[in-house]
Amino acid sequence: MQTLVAIGIIVATVLVMEFVAWSSHKYVMHGFGWGWHRDHHEPHDGFFEKNDLYAVVGAAISISFFMLGSPLVLGAEAWWPATFIGLGVMAYGAIYTLVHDGLVHQRWFRWVPKRGYAKRLVQAHKLHHATIGKEGGVSFGFIFARDPAVLKRELQAQREQGIAVLREAVDA
């Protein structure tokens, strides 16, 4: 039973992290944290981006939960679920790295999906990058992607309302 509870905590944490990532991406990265995120939306030389600092923040959150759950660190005060929350945060980071950095931005491997949910993820995130600057935008999550046709209509509406400036490929 304890194993099922631990797995449940890990899965629930991964799901909650998608909401945390969506919120952080929309309100922090495209808000006051744009200084770190900007180079992710603009052409640049080099492998690393300032945006990669957000991964360090995620790792610090995971490590903090591991510490809260560790009897070696906190002794009898350790909170055992924290270890599994830390594992969930770490699992989300691995998923993010594979899906966002690897699949969508081709940083780790070269594979362009032709169909299925992987194609939908890539299309949705490409539409996220269709805006110039931090204003407006769609698809701020990383593992759940809405219908790209709907996202494209939302971008067009944002352009018409003067909320977002779109790149030429989407503008046409």
Side-chain angles (χ1 to χ4, degrees):
M1 184 65 156
Q2 254 185 332
T3 302
L4 289 177
V5 170
I7 291 169
I9 291 170
I10 294 167
V11 170
T13 301
V14 169
L15 296 174
V16 167
M17 283 302 297
E18 176 68 355
F19 173 74
V20 169
W22 179 90
S23 303
S24 305
H25 192 185
K26 184 170 176 93
Y27 299 110
V28 176
M29 295 178 192
H30 283 255
F32 66 87
W34 181 248
W36 281 9
H37 192 58
R38 174 185 286 125
D39 67 346
H40 181 65
H41 282 266
E42 298 173 351
H44 60 86
D45 294 325
F47 184 75
F48 290 106
E49 307 170 342
K50 280 186 191 174
N51 184 66
D52 295 331
L53 292 170
Y54 286 112
V56 175
V57 172
I61 292 168
S62 180
I63 291 167
S64 296
F65 276 107
F66 282 125
M67 290 172 61
L68 288 172
S70 172
L72 292 173
V73 175
L74 293 179
E77 299 297 315
W79 184 54
W80 72 266
T83 299
F84 302 104
I85 294 170
L87 282 169
V89 173
M90 185 177 75
Y92 186 86
I95 293 166
Y96 169 88
T97 299
L98 288 172
V99 171
H100 179 263
D101 290 344
L103 178 65
V104 175
H105 290 291
Q106 305 283 301
R107 284 177 82 177
W108 315 121
F109 48 86
R110 303 277 184 236
W111 174 62
V112 179
K114 303 287 189 238
R115 57 184 160 70
Y117 194 72
K119 179 179 179 181
R120 184 178 178 139
L121 281 171
V122 170
Q123 288 175 323
H125 198 72
K126 296 287 184 189
L127 287 168
H128 172 74
H129 282 268
T131 58
I132 298 172
K134 69 179 186 174
E135 303 304 326
V138 293
S139 194
F140 290 91
F142 298 110
I143 58 176
F144 295 116
R146 294 173 42 224
D147 180 5
V150 172
L151 297 174
K152 192 167 185 177
R153 286 194 300 271
E154 287 179 13
L155 280 173
Q156 294 294 353
Q158 288 179 12
R159 183 197 68 194
E160 291 165 8
Q161 295 168 9
I163 296 170
V165 177
L166 303 184
R167 300 186 191 284
E168 288 181 30
V170 177
D171 220 10

